[in-house]
Amino acid sequence: MTHVLVIEDDPSIRSLLVRSLSDRGLAASSAPNGLDGLRQAVDDAPDIVLLDLGLPDLDGQSILTMLRAVSEVPVIVVTAQDDDRQVVRALESGADDYVVKPFTVEQLVARIRAVLRRAATPLGDPGLTVGELAIDPAARTVTLRGEPLELARLEFDLLHYLARRVGEVVSKKEILSEVWKQIYGGGEHTVDVHISWLRRKLGETASAPVYLHSVRHVGVRLVDPTSARTGD
Ligand code: CA
């Protein structure tokens, strides 16, 4: 059974979430503040953490950073309003997804399932190489010219997805639905943000692309720079 840890200071929202998630067949536990939440996230090893960013003791953003230092547990952050900067900062700190209050339990459960699907390691998925990039989906590792790259979860998933479609232009909409597994609209700016981080880790820039080529108003294409056919 999937264990969800809910870190939320508002007692009525907290108990509503725990009850609603339990009603839908998930095991839910909760913490009323950041430090208890952090302790439980480490000690109880939940499958996923739902983290309110507005907490009384330490803000959720700090909790997220501290949690990421010790744990790879998937995290969905909850924000009070659709604050792009807050969302981008949370994603940059290792959040896997976000929901904006008020949200429905149906939406939350869909997002929990999507994040868990994405986090699951595909068994027997063969490795693939594009030029001097080698991607091992089972180990979730990437090397460039034999040197390991440190990629966040979404960066890895994005690179892996593009590598399976090498040479093809992939739209941001498709990335949102196939990589982010997000069935709701919007959020294309988070794709741009992750592409730019990935680009930095690959040691290239948007103006001098090697592997990651943006196609204006359409999306992005991963090319094999060692193959003359795809170079343009
Ligand atoms: Ca709160």
Side-chain angles (χ1 to χ4, degrees), residues 1-229:
M1 194 188 260
T2 299
H3 174 195
V4 185
L5 170 62
V6 176
I7 306 176
E8 165 66 65
D9 59 308
D10 184 314
S12 55
I13 298 179
R14 191 170 66 238
S15 57
L16 175 70
L17 282 174
V18 167
R19 203 168 52 238
S20 310
L21 291 172
S22 305
D23 286 349
R24 283 162 181 78
L26 302 163
S29 59
S30 70
N33 58 59
L35 283 178
D36 280 350
L38 190 59
R39 190 159 39 235
Q40 288 184 38
V42 174
D43 291 349
D44 301 348
D47 297 301
I48 187 162
V49 173
L50 186 65
L51 174 64
D52 183 22
L53 287 183
L55 291 168
D57 51 344
L58 272 168
D59 68 52
Q61 181 68 42
S62 312
I63 296 295
L64 177 60
T65 306
M66 290 156 82
L67 182 58
R68 270 294 164 262
V70 292
S71 168
E72 275 288 289
V73 64
V75 175
I76 297 178
V77 294
V78 179
T79 68
Q81 64 280 94
D82 201 354
D83 181 338
D84 269 8
R85 274 175 316 174
Q86 197 181 42
V87 166
V88 168
R89 207 154 72 96
L91 291 171
E92 189 165 20
S93 304
D96 295 86
D97 201 356
Y98 65 96
V99 287
V100 178
K101 285 179 183 172
F103 53 86
T104 62
V105 175
E106 282 68 33
Q107 178 184 157
L108 176 63
V109 169
R111 287 188 181 232
I112 288 173
R113 297 234 156 91
V115 166
L116 290 174
R117 243 188 344 261
R118 209 162 62 211
T121 302
L123 286 175
D125 203 342
L128 47 93
T129 59
V130 178
E132 296 178 298
L133 263 181
I135 301 169
D136 181 344
R140 296 185 67 82
T141 56
V142 178
T143 60
L144 177 60
R145 289 181 291 275
E147 294 293 318
L149 296 184
E150 292 278 330
L151 299 186
R153 188 198 311 276
L154 268 174
E155 291 165 355
F156 178 89
D157 290 340
L158 175 59
L159 183 65
H160 183 217
Y161 187 77
L162 294 174
R164 280 181 295 169
R165 305 272 306 269
V166 66
E168 286 177 46
V169 179
V170 180
S171 72
K172 288 180 208 167
K173 233 181 208 68
E174 180 178 343
I175 290 171
L176 277 175
S177 77
E178 298 301 316
V179 182
W180 270 236
K181 308 282 188 204
Q182 192 167 301
I183 53 176
Y184 306 94
E188 290 192 8
H189 63 284
T190 73
V191 176
D192 292 327
V193 169
H194 281 85
I195 287 172
S196 70
W197 293 332
L198 198 48
R199 197 167 256 148
R200 201 184 309 155
K201 291 183 180 176
L202 292 172
E204 57 187 76
T205 61
S207 53
V210 181
Y211 285 92
L212 281 176
H213 294 246
S214 289
V215 180
R216 192 183 287 270
H217 304 312
V218 184
V220 64
R221 174 168 54 159
L222 184 77
V223 306
D224 179 353
T226 62
S227 153
R229 216 163 54 86

